[in-house]
Amino acid sequence: MKKRVVQAGGFEIVDDDGQVRAKLGLSNDESPYVSFHDPDGRVRARFGLSTDGSAGLAIGDEDGKVRATLGLASDGSASLALGDKNGKIRAKFGLASEGSPTLGLQNKDGETKFVFTLAQQGSPTVGLYDEDGKVRARLGLAAEGSPVLRLLDKDGELKALLGIASDGTPIMRLMGTDNEPLWSAP
C-alpha cells in the first residue's frame, strides 16, 4: 500500500455541534502546536514548540486560567509550575541546565517568598525573600556539610553570618556598612 501525505496549514476537529474541540497547526511565528478545547471553546490543554527549540505543555481550568505548565527550555533546563484559581503561579519546581533542582513558592500575588535549591555538588540551601523579591535570609550546608545561616540587607549584602566550621567550631560574624566585619567570634 502506498503511503499518502496530506499537507495543510492546520487541522481542526469538531464535535457533533460544530464546536472546535482540538487543533493542530502553526502559531503566528510558525511554531507547531496541538490544543484541546472544552465544549465552550476554551483551551484546556496546549502543547507546542517554540522557535528557539523549547517545548511546553499548559493545562487550563474551566475558567480558562492556566493552572499547570511543564516546560523544557532550549538550554536543557526543565520546569513544572502550578497556579492557583486566579492563574497566579504559586509553586514551581525546576532543574537548571546543569541539573541542580530548585523549588520555589510564591504568595497569592505571585511574589517569590521561599526557594529551596540543591547545588550541583549536593549542598541544600533555603532562601527567604522579602516583598521586593530579594533574598534576605539563606540557610544551607556548605560543601563539607557544615550548617550556615546568612542574613542579608535589602541590597543583598551579607550583614550577619552564623554557622559551624568543618572542625566543629561555632562561627558568628556581624558585618558593617562597608562589608567589613564589625564583630566576629571566635
Side-chain angles (χ1 to χ4, degrees):
M1 178 174 170
K2 185 176 179 180
K3 295 185 180 187
R4 298 176 195 211
V5 175
V6 176
Q7 293 182 331
F11 291 96
E12 292 183 346
I13 298 172
V14 296
D15 62 19
D16 289 340
D17 296 326
Q19 291 285 357
V20 175
R21 300 300 303 274
K23 288 184 182 181
L24 170 63
L26 299 173
S27 55
N28 292 340
D29 65 358
E30 299 294 313
S31 300
Y33 72 91
V34 176
S35 63
F36 299 94
H37 307 247
D38 66 17
D40 294 325
R42 286 183 292 268
V43 176
R44 297 294 302 274
R46 180 181 166 116
F47 175 73
L49 301 178
S50 295
T51 56
D52 68 356
S54 57
L57 170 67
I59 301 171
D61 64 15
E62 62 277 352
D63 294 325
K65 304 276 189 196
V66 174
R67 300 288 303 274
T69 64
L70 177 63
L72 180 61
S74 58
D75 67 359
S77 59
S79 66
L80 169 66
L82 303 173
D84 63 18
K85 64 182 178 181
N86 298 313
K88 295 274 188 186
I89 298 298
R90 299 294 303 274
K92 189 172 185 179
F93 175 72
L95 291 175
S97 58
E98 84 284 345
S100 58
T102 300
L103 170 67
L105 304 178
Q106 288 83 17
N107 68 11
K108 63 181 172 51
D109 297 323
E111 298 168 344
T112 299
K113 293 299 180 185
F114 172 89
V115 175
F116 175 79
T117 59
L118 193 58
Q120 193 169 8
Q121 76 271 19
S123 301
T125 302
V126 172
L128 301 177
Y129 292 72
D130 66 14
E131 63 277 354
D132 296 324
K134 306 247 183 175
V135 66
R136 298 301 300 273
R138 287 189 196 266
L139 174 62
L141 296 179
E144 74 279 355
S146 301
V148 178
L149 172 64
R150 292 176 175 90
L151 303 177
L152 301 100
D153 68 12
K154 61 183 171 63
D155 298 320
E157 297 291 325
L158 179 66
K159 292 300 173 187
L161 182 133
L162 178 64
I164 299 175
S166 59
D167 65 0
T169 305
I171 300 168
M172 185 172 190
R173 196 171 297 146
L174 302 177
M175 310 301 281
T177 55
D178 55 0
N179 213 20
E180 293 293 320
L182 288 175
W183 183 83
S184 183

